[in-house]
Amino acid sequence: MSAASVTGKFDIIIVGAGFAGMYMLYKAREVGLSALVLETAGGVGGTWFWNRYPGARCDVESMQYSYSFCEELQQEWQWSERYASQPEILNYANHVAHKFNLFRDIRFNSRVSSAIFHEGERVWQLSTDDGEHYYAKWCVMATGCLSAAQRPNIPGLGTFKGEIYHTGNWPRQPIDLAGRNIGAIGTGSSGIQVIPELAKLAKHLYVFQRTPNFSIPARNQPMDSAYEAEWKQSYAERRTAARKMPAGILSHIGTNSALAVSPEDRLAEYERRWAAGGTGFTAAYSDLLKYEDANSTAAEFVRKKIREVVTDPAVANLLAPVNHPIGSKRICADTDYFATFNRQNVTLVDLRANPLQEVSEHGLTAGTQLYELDTLVLATGFDAITGALSKIDMVGRQALSLKEKWQNGPNTYLGLMTSGFPNLFIVTGPGSPSVLTNVIVAIEDNVKWIADCLAYLKTRGAETIEATASAEEGWMEHVGQAAEGTLYIKAKSWYLGVNVPGKPVVFMPYVGGVPTYQKICEEVAADGYRGFTIEVHTEGLRTR
Ligand code: NAP
């Protein structure tokens, strides 16, 4: 490394200024480390900075989708709706950044292109697209699970003369979609949120659907002040209780098997949850994600609801998902999604019967028909969980590249570190509960664990920490076995990476749930960081 090229030296560099990176910066300061955050975007907020599409909204209730680490913060912030919209969440992220003076240590518009570990100096070199180099002993990848937008490889996409917008990379400046002929590809959570909004604006909206998804009405509403007050009276206790739930969300989780109750009771329970709204629907019974016969009771209930809402039976049939168990793909929450297909200006195009052929100058051809379009909206998802990491050229010990190491799927120990990459931590990495939870809970728990670990290493004058290959192997085996016992592996979902051509098909998140995972992480730490090798520099000698 040439000293002349050094543009910054820090104890710790954090990549990403979303909710993970912001909290990591706050905790790194507490540990007494000099810290820098490098962020591609022009502001904080991560996924909420980029996903500005009309209708973007969180599907975890606002009272829970927020930081819990500061009582003053959670008391002072006021959410205006049951489920917060993207602009409100982005305001919250900015409020947090101001309150804790985070901006001064964040460098925006700085995309990290490579991260290289210099073994001799035991230092990480991070280089950005604009040719800057930064050095740090510790490095934390807070790059997010849903931050690498996935553009489909459709022939002719580049020839389209109209505008193309990806929901995961929506422009910052306002765009006028009124009176346009719009095509929307993708009917996952993003598509299900944006489609009703596009329909209100469009002259005509064509929805190109390959696979229908299960969606539950969100029943969003203005924040009920009594509900908010109830939460704020006992916020800390409620946050603790939420952490005892598998998804880190305080909710009513059914403990019975769906098959152990009478059909009448089951129907009443599904009706109650449908009326209450939100993704808690699949928590009605304990075995909905374990057994197909239990699952099909819930799936059939939702298909029936879709058929009740959608007036054209042929369209209703196309919208009713039959190719995967309910909840095995991320369940969606919507506002008037299915009713949108009753509008005169909305057409559902079934890409299974009429495969997408090409995009040309003036539109899109599916089957033999050309649909003339002014605007194309891609709600085609993300290279999830590993996508943002694999965009960075990461090199560990002995010139080991992360791409090579993960060519058959990501390997980590606890989702927090990967062997061969000393001093490099990952927040909500593959092999952690991450996307199966209220991700802010997962983030806070991971960041706190990393900060405690850094404090421990600092006290002992440690030079490096690294996951051992055997601990990593054992953890990945456990992660794989846990998923095998569930219906999650029955769907072609982004959890498995099947949405990205060439990506290894491996179930990436840990399904064990927040309490189990957190207990394991805490035990590992209490046991002197079992499964990690810690190198300490003593009188010129390095000991392990
Ligand atoms: P997604 O769930 O991966 O959905 C992508 C959609 O695009 C699918 O319908 C997919 O069809 C379709 N698609 C992709 N490539 C295509 C192609 N070449 N031709 C035709 N169709 C294609 O992505 P997402 O909707 O962005 O959601 C990703 C995740 O982000 C969610 O599961 C959720 O965790 C999170 N999210 C959350 C919220 C919220 O909090 N409310 C909102 C948005 C997103 P196939 O299924 O056939 O592949």
Side-chain angles (χ1 to χ4, degrees), residues 20-330:
M22 289 200 296
Y23 186 43
M24 192 67 241
L25 172 58
Y26 174 89
K27 292 296 284 181
R29 286 183 187 163
E30 261 186 6
V31 177
L33 302 175
S34 64
L36 174 74
V37 178
L38 295 171
E39 166 59 57
T40 305
V44 294
T47 200
W48 299 106
F49 178 92
W50 298 106
N51 285 263
R52 295 163 185 259
Y53 59 85
R57 186 178 290 289
C58 189
D59 60 9
V60 175
E61 284 194 11
S62 338
M63 295 311 295
Q64 306 209 43
Y65 192 85
S66 50
Y67 287 122
S68 67
F69 70 85
C70 173
E71 181 63 16
E72 186 181 278
L73 171 66
Q74 63 187 6
Q75 289 296 336
E76 76 193 4
W77 184 261
Q78 281 193 300
W79 295 104
S80 67
E81 292 176 276
R82 178 184 183 190
Y83 294 104
S85 66
Q86 174 272 334
E88 192 166 34
I89 301 173
L90 196 57
N91 284 345
Y92 171 74
N94 278 288
H95 170 77
V96 172
H98 280 295
K99 182 177 176 73
F100 300 107
N101 220 344
L102 301 181
F103 286 114
R104 68 177 152 90
D105 292 325
I106 306 176
R107 212 151 288 179
F108 293 112
N109 305 306
S110 296
R111 199 189 81 81
V112 174
S113 48
S114 70
I116 296 167
F117 184 64
H118 294 285
E119 225 169 330
E121 297 94 334
R122 294 181 295 284
V123 89
W124 278 96
Q125 174 185 344
L126 277 80
S127 304
T128 53
D129 271 354
D130 54 3
E132 303 285 336
H133 304 287
Y134 303 91
Y135 296 87
K137 179 172 179 177
W138 314 109
C139 182
V140 178
M141 291 291 160
T143 42
C145 292
L146 295 162
S147 43
Q150 179 67 16
R151 259 173 101 92
N153 196 7
I154 303 171
L157 197 58
T159 64
F160 185 55
K161 289 267 192 264
E163 309 96 8
I164 302 180
Y165 302 112
H166 192 293
T167 46
N169 199 354
W170 200 264
R172 283 182 88 174
Q173 70 279 15
I175 49 174
D176 186 9
L177 295 171
R180 309 219 157 203
N181 285 318
I182 304 176
I185 304 178
T187 50
S189 300
S190 305
I192 279 175
Q193 287 187 333
V194 79
I195 283 163
E197 298 303 317
L198 295 176
K200 289 179 206 162
L201 298 166
K203 181 172 175 210
H204 202 94
L205 173 67
Y206 298 93
V207 177
F208 298 97
Q209 173 189 272
R210 190 163 64 186
T211 313
N213 268 301
F214 290 100
S215 185
I216 310 297
R219 314 264 183 232
N220 186 38
Q221 59 189 50
M223 179 58 71
D224 178 306
S225 54
Y227 184 70
E228 181 190 1
E230 253 175 55
W231 265 85
K232 288 191 172 175
Q233 262 162 28
S234 54
Y235 230 142
E237 290 86 341
R238 283 166 188 250
R239 300 286 200 180
T240 304
R243 280 181 159 78
K244 293 189 176 137
M245 302 279 176
I249 300 173
L250 192 56
S251 59
H252 298 289
I253 299 184
T255 49
N256 285 329
S257 157
L259 304 173
V261 297
S262 71
E264 294 74 26
D265 286 353
R266 202 167 52 219
L267 183 64
E269 178 63 6
Y270 289 150
E271 286 288 3
R272 197 186 64 70
R273 287 186 183 250
W274 183 264
T279 58
F281 182 83
T282 42
Y285 295 103
S286 60
D287 51 359
L288 291 183
L289 276 159
K290 278 196 196 139
Y291 305 118
E292 299 218 33
D293 45 0
N295 186 283
S296 64
T297 63
E300 191 45 40
F301 174 88
V302 175
R303 284 192 285 265
K304 195 162 166 282
K305 287 288 184 197
I306 296 170
R307 293 194 182 100
E308 279 168 21
V309 173
V310 180
T311 47
D312 180 335
V315 175
N317 243 353
L318 289 174
L319 288 167
V322 286
N323 82 342
H324 63 278
I326 186 169
S328 59
K329 282 184 169 192
R330 174 68 135 68

Side-chain angles (χ1 to χ4, degrees), residues 529-540:
Y529 293 91
R530 186 178 67 232
F532 292 95
T533 303
I534 295 175
E535 235 177 26
V536 181
H537 203 76
T538 3
E539 294 164 13

